[in-house]
Amino acid sequence: MWPIPQFLNRRSNVFDPFSELDMPQFSHSIFPSETSSFTAAKVDWRETQNAHVFKADVPGLKKEEVKVEIEEGRVLQISGERSQEQEEKSDTDTWHQMERSRGRFLRRFTLPENAKVEEVKAAMENGVLTVTVPKEEVKKPDVRAIQISG
């Protein structure tokens, strides 16, 4: 059995299955350090009867460190940056493990035509960003019976 090359053995998603506009997500990258600092923010997208609801995990971030934008009319963009914590350094400190991600993140989703992009709302609580995009009511087509002659 042949070993899988390192660049194919990443545990990250390259593309978000919910969006054709999503940026690559690198967590274990073979690329230089400028892309390896690009981290993924995990996002759930749920459609209810009245809205599209996005929930993004952004633990440890303040609302001022996260941006929610609508681009090009119907593209929802969630971005931000998680900085490395500034800690007092000591000659006696020894790091045993460092797993918490840091760096920039960017997620983009193409919203469906029924999205009311003028009424988007966002809220953050306990490290979870919730973006609610209301849906327009689907108008039922007018149906008119036609009399058949003959």
Side-chain angles (χ1 to χ4, degrees), residues 3-139:
I4 298 174
Q6 181 61 31
F7 66 91
L8 294 176
N9 197 18
R10 292 194 302 259
R11 290 184 8 159
S12 65
N13 295 330
V14 175
F15 296 104
D16 183 345
F18 299 112
S19 173
E20 67 239 26
L21 294 176
D22 201 20
M23 298 291 289
Q25 309 296 309
F26 302 103
S27 61
H28 302 289
S29 177
I30 62 165
F31 300 105
S33 62
E34 69 269 5
T35 54
S36 62
S37 68
F38 190 91
T39 60
K42 304 297 183 192
V43 179
D44 293 338
W45 176 359
R46 176 175 57 111
E47 183 175 355
T48 68
Q49 185 174 0
N50 301 318
H52 294 274
V53 180
F54 297 82
K55 289 191 180 255
D57 287 341
V58 289
L61 292 184
K62 300 174 188 152
K63 66 180 183 178
E64 296 82 19
E65 298 172 312
V66 177
K67 277 195 214 176
V68 177
E69 302 169 307
I70 299 291
E71 286 189 340
E72 302 169 11
R74 288 189 313 122
V75 178
L76 172 67
Q77 179 171 296
I78 301 170
S79 63
E81 186 166 359
R82 182 175 292 118
S83 304
Q84 184 170 358
E85 294 177 10
Q86 298 297 323
E87 297 182 13
E88 291 182 27
K89 294 185 178 184
S90 168
D91 292 338
T92 60
D93 288 353
T94 302
W95 282 94
H96 293 283
Q97 197 154 326
M98 184 182 267
E99 293 183 345
R100 296 186 302 149
S101 61
R102 60 194 160 277
R104 293 173 288 140
F105 64 90
L106 170 69
R107 298 298 303 273
R108 300 178 78 188
F109 301 91
T110 302
L111 297 171
E113 290 185 29
N114 67 351
K116 290 183 177 180
V117 293
E118 313 82 31
E119 299 179 24
V120 175
K121 292 187 174 28
M124 243 171 80
E125 185 177 340
N126 296 327
V128 178
L129 171 71
T130 302
V131 179
T132 304
V133 183
K135 291 172 26 178
E136 299 204 35
E137 290 183 35
V138 178
K139 295 182 181 179

